[in-house]
Amino acid sequence: MPHDLNVSLNYNKDVQDIVSEIESGKLVLPDFQRDFVWPTKQIGKLLESILNGYYIDTLLTLPVSGDPDNIPFPPRDVAGVPSSQTANNMEMVLDGQQRISSIYYALTAPDLPLDNTTYPQLFCLKFSKIVNGEFDEDTITWRRRDWDSSQRLIDNDYELQMERDLIPFTVFRSKDAFEEWRWGLEDYAQSHDSVTREDIQQFERNTGTFRGYDIPIIELDPDTPDTVVVQTFERINTQGLDLGVFDILTARLYPSPHNINLRDLWDESIDQYPRIETYSDNSGSKTARERILKTLALYRGTECKDASLRELKPDNFESDWKSAASIIDRALEKAKSTEVGGLGVTEKYGFPYGSILPTIANLIYLAEEGGTYPNQEALEKIRQWYWVSTFSRRYSGSSDTISYQDYNEVKDWIKGSRSEPPEAIQEGRNLIPIELSLDTTTRGGPYDGVMSLLVLNGAKDFGTFESINVHQVDDHHIFPNAQLKNGLNGNSYDKTERNKILNRTIIQYRNNRFKYGDDLPSVYIPDMIEEHPRGEQGVRELLQGHFINDEAFQALLNDDYEAFCESRKQAIRQTIEDKTKMDLDWSVTEARLQ
């Protein structure tokens, strides 16, 4: 028979109560709990949320008596507690261990390294930012706990606290600890100009939310059977991922009268469209699902922000989902194509900016399904917008608003109701030379964009001389990394200079190994010429596919790295101008590098 799980929500604990009850042995963990694993940054984000008064979820506890006969599981202390104590009445935390452990760690600064650190850490607030009411992620910082200066901060060395602009979270350990710190700093302020009494009062006001922050407690019935407690814990911790919009919609659309099973729709999509399944494998199912939802939203003509997705209407949802999946699949097909109209997107690199997919998918659908099939002029305009967006880094930041704007502007442009190009293209002429420096690009959207250009340019493998499959590509240094690092022609090049896109190209994936190893071009180019069926002319033509013209070819033979990079840069820039249909003022880029 199923057990009726009785729970109650009847009180809160503030952060100082939590510290006190952990130290007294009242708030404990069941022995089967996992270890404290949160890294510094995640603890910092939790502290920032509490400082701002944001909701951080509830705690789920099981009340137990201190009588050994009534303790269902061996209790375990929260990480960092100096000595084990057993209270007469305990609460075992089933859900919330990482949160309470983080609070305890920050407010007590135990001698305990975190999961991502070698040394114990001390979490601090920047005094000046709190006084000014700035509660962002830069307000919270951490440093090694075992430094002498860290201990002085904990011991309330006010001069050091003001000099370093750091107040340790240990001052919030208890109400008494905060009062002691505040009165001590006020005494210090009477004889020092570095802080005023008004500053201290403002700090006290602005940290009031943190000090009084209440966390709701949900209690299981003390008589809950042990097996049910364990099953409840396992269910929470195996499914305790952050809820995304897909999960929220799944819950909202399932009940009657809608009866929409979103997970079944997803399963049907990946069964029907192998490209979507592959995309999900590469980008993660959460990302893939949400991008179908964003495609669906744009398909309906609505914004694709998370808040808008959560409110997607159930009417015709199943048919719209299927349409969105079909639209995404077609976009993935065209993206990976190397034929005319393809985008040369490879399996390894994916879209330069993955967030552009819902927009371009819907635009391709409009161009292919509206009017004469397909509308080549419209598709050409979409590709221009795509390449401009790629090399201007338009989708490098928050992109949901831009996606909706671009969808509408490009849609009107390709349908003829908008005479001027969309904002993305108008701004791109100025932005591309500002945003794109091929001399310093070592990763990111433009790097991946150049890799796509290489695919579209017909680049062939240096070893097999065969066309490169978009599903099996890798990249490698043209001038070997080790040779440049150790010194070439009297010059030693730094990491950026060695790894910039001008010195990288694509090869067919073969255990990530370049056939010619660490040989200089003056060694391996003659080897290629000897092996190629058409000799030097065949190699020259092969290298043209890698944006290596005759001038760059000669630089390779001379091991002239700088002349090679300069020549190849001009070739790639010309291709970018061809794809974006723009004459770009690259002198802006050169001026930024000087």
Side-chain angles (χ1 to χ4, degrees):
M1 290 288 293
H3 177 80
D4 292 332
L5 194 63
N6 294 323
V7 298
S8 60
L9 174 60
N10 53 14
Y11 67 99
N12 303 322
K13 295 184 190 295
D14 66 34
V15 292
Q16 293 171 335
D17 290 336
I18 285 174
V19 171
S20 175
E21 292 187 6
I22 286 173
E23 292 188 324
S24 69
K26 176 175 172 55
L27 206 59
V28 296
L29 306 171
D31 195 46
F32 53 74
Q33 272 273 30
R34 63 175 178 165
D35 293 333
F36 178 39
V37 296
W38 272 16
T40 46
K41 187 172 183 179
Q42 200 159 359
I43 296 173
K45 294 299 289 184
L46 176 72
L47 297 173
E48 179 193 347
S49 294
I50 297 174
L51 188 66
N52 281 280
Y54 300 152
Y55 178 63
I56 64 167
D57 213 343
T58 60
L59 301 181
L60 178 65
T61 66
L62 175 70
V64 296
S65 166
D67 184 343
D69 294 335
N70 294 328
I71 299 178
F73 313 103
R76 180 160 65 87
D77 289 327
V78 169
V81 174
S83 58
S84 181
Q85 299 186 57
T86 303
N88 290 330
N89 293 292
M90 296 180 289
E91 288 183 76
M92 288 189 170
V93 178
L94 301 177
D95 184 34
Q97 179 209 2
Q98 304 299 319
R99 281 169 282 145
I100 67 167
S101 298
S102 297
I103 291 169
Y104 181 78
Y105 191 100
L107 271 61
T108 64
D111 186 17
L112 177 73
L114 293 168
D115 192 55
N116 68 326
T117 64
T118 303
Y119 302 96
Q121 300 294 306
L122 174 66
F123 284 82
C124 299
L125 284 168
K126 293 183 179 178
F127 182 78
S128 61
K129 290 180 76 72
I130 292 294
V131 170
N132 291 330
E134 299 175 29
F135 304 147
D136 56 34
E137 60 183 12
D138 293 331
T139 304
I140 297 168
T141 187
W142 47 90
R143 65 204 312 267
R144 278 179 55 172
R145 162 74 171 81
D146 59 332
W147 288 342
D148 175 67
S149 58
S150 293
Q151 188 58 49
R152 287 166 57 198
L153 290 173
I154 295 170
D155 292 339
N156 289 337
D157 182 328
Y158 299 113
E159 182 176 2
L160 184 65
Q161 288 180 356
M162 294 301 103
E163 176 189 326
R164 301 288 176 86
D165 195 28
L166 294 176
I167 307 300
F169 272 89
T170 51
V171 303
F172 304 129
R173 179 176 187 149
S174 66
K175 293 177 176 60
D176 289 343
F178 183 75
E179 290 294 310
E180 179 184 347
W181 172 82
R182 188 195 64 182
W183 292 118
L185 186 57
E186 288 193 354
D187 289 343
Y188 175 83
Q190 293 178 7
S191 56
H192 294 81
D193 296 333
S194 58
V195 62
T196 67
R197 190 167 184 273
E198 289 73 21
D199 289 339
I200 300 168
Q201 290 173 341
Q202 192 64 38
F203 184 92
E204 180 178 12
R205 282 192 291 269
N206 288 345
T207 58
T209 296
F210 183 92
R211 289 179 283 113
Y213 188 91
D214 285 331
I215 303 177
I217 309 298
I218 296 177
E219 282 189 349
L220 289 182
D221 188 322
D223 296 328
T224 302
D226 299 353
T227 55
V228 175
V229 172
V230 172
Q231 290 168 359
T232 301
F233 172 80
E234 289 178 346
R235 181 60 58 89
I236 291 169
N237 285 273
T238 56
Q239 299 183 4
L241 301 175
D242 292 338
L243 290 178
V245 291
F246 181 89
D247 303 296
I248 293 169
L249 271 177
T250 298
R252 190 169 67 80
L253 296 175
Y254 185 77
S256 180
H258 313 309
N259 299 320
I260 299 170
N261 192 321
L262 192 50
R263 296 191 186 280
D264 283 353
L265 289 175
W266 165 253
D267 290 341
E268 290 170 9
S269 296
I270 60 175
D271 286 343
Q272 183 176 358
Y273 301 112
R275 277 184 288 265
I276 292 181
E277 182 176 20
T278 300
Y279 180 74
S280 175
D281 291 340
N282 292 334
S283 65
S285 60
K286 180 179 179 182
T287 296
R289 290 168 175 175
E290 290 187 2
R291 285 187 178 150
I292 293 182
L293 288 174
K294 291 181 179 184
T295 302
L296 188 157
L298 291 177
Y299 175 73
R300 289 183 170 185
T302 63
E303 291 190 274
C304 50
K305 296 178 181 178
D306 283 358
S308 300
L309 298 184
R310 287 193 289 268
E311 299 302 320
L312 285 171
K313 303 300 183 185
D315 301 340
N316 300 316
F317 189 92
E318 292 187 3
S319 61
D320 288 351
W321 170 277
K322 292 175 182 178
S323 294
S326 173
I327 289 169
I328 284 275
D329 179 69
R330 174 60 176 158
L332 292 174
E333 180 183 14
K334 290 187 74 69
K336 292 183 179 181
S337 173
T338 59
E339 303 299 323
V340 175
L343 300 177
V345 172
T346 65
E347 202 76 65
K348 177 175 180 177
Y349 299 105
F351 283 91
Y353 298 103
S355 54
I356 205 171
L357 176 57
T359 311
I360 195 169
N362 273 284
L363 291 173
I364 290 172
Y365 169 75
L366 286 175
E368 293 190 337
E369 298 297 327
T372 304
Y373 175 84
N375 186 330
Q376 294 298 344
E377 182 182 355
L379 290 171
E380 188 66 27
K381 287 181 175 180
I382 292 168
R383 288 193 292 272
Q384 181 187 8
W385 161 80
Y386 171 81
W387 290 114
V388 170
S389 297
T390 294
F391 292 112
S392 65
R393 301 179 190 263
R394 184 167 176 83
Y395 282 75
S396 61
S398 178
S399 58
D400 290 336
T401 300
I402 289 175
S403 294
Y404 183 64
Q405 175 186 340
D406 282 4
Y407 171 68
N408 285 297
E409 291 186 358
V410 179
K411 175 187 68 174
D412 292 343
W413 188 43
I414 65 178
K415 293 174 71 173
S417 57
R418 177 188 176 100
S419 58
E420 61 181 8
E423 179 187 280
I425 292 177
Q426 294 184 54
E427 293 184 344
R429 186 179 301 278
N430 294 324
L431 282 177
I432 292 174
I434 294 173
E435 294 290 346
L436 179 60
S437 168
L438 297 174
D439 289 285
T440 58
T441 296
T442 60
R443 63 170 68 89
Y447 183 100
D448 297 345
V450 172
M451 287 296 171
S452 292
L453 294 181
L454 285 162
V455 171
L456 294 176
N457 201 44
K460 295 182 179 180
D461 185 74
F462 276 40
T464 65
F465 310 138
E466 295 176 354
S467 297
I468 294 172
N469 188 319
V470 294
H471 300 286
Q472 298 176 336
V473 304
D474 216 324
D475 60 353
H476 84 99
H477 294 83
I478 299 172
F479 278 72
N481 182 54
Q483 297 275 11
L484 295 174
K485 182 178 181 180
N486 296 331
L488 178 64
N489 300 328
N491 294 315
S492 181
Y493 295 90
D494 65 25
K495 186 175 181 180
T496 297
E497 292 172 321
R498 302 192 307 269
N499 292 310
K500 60 188 177 183
I501 189 64
L502 296 175
N503 189 38
R504 307 284 282 180
T505 197
I506 57 173
I507 58 173
Q508 194 73 18
Y509 176 77
R510 288 193 311 275
N511 299 321
N512 198 29
R513 292 191 177 188
F514 178 46
K515 177 178 179 180
Y516 301 106
D518 287 334
D519 290 342
L520 284 167
S522 62
V523 175
Y524 72 73
I525 293 295
D527 288 346
M528 288 175 65
I529 292 172
E530 184 177 343
E531 293 181 16
H532 199 285
R534 296 176 52 237
E536 180 176 329
Q537 186 59 33
V539 171
R540 283 179 178 270
E541 291 176 2
L542 181 148
L543 294 178
Q544 289 282 350
H546 294 265
F547 302 122
I548 299 172
N549 57 23
D550 289 343
E551 183 181 350
F553 177 80
Q554 193 59 49
L556 287 175
L557 292 178
N558 296 334
D559 290 333
D560 189 337
Y561 183 60
E562 294 178 17
F564 168 79
C565 289
E566 184 61 29
S567 179
R568 193 168 188 240
K569 177 167 61 177
Q570 301 310 318
I572 294 175
R573 282 178 172 177
Q574 184 58 57
T575 304
I576 291 171
E577 291 188 14
D578 293 342
K579 291 295 184 183
T580 59
K581 303 183 184 303
M582 292 177 176
D583 294 323
L584 299 169
D585 182 6
W586 296 106
S587 65
V588 176
T589 312
E590 300 301 328
R592 290 179 60 239
L593 294 175
Q594 293 176 0

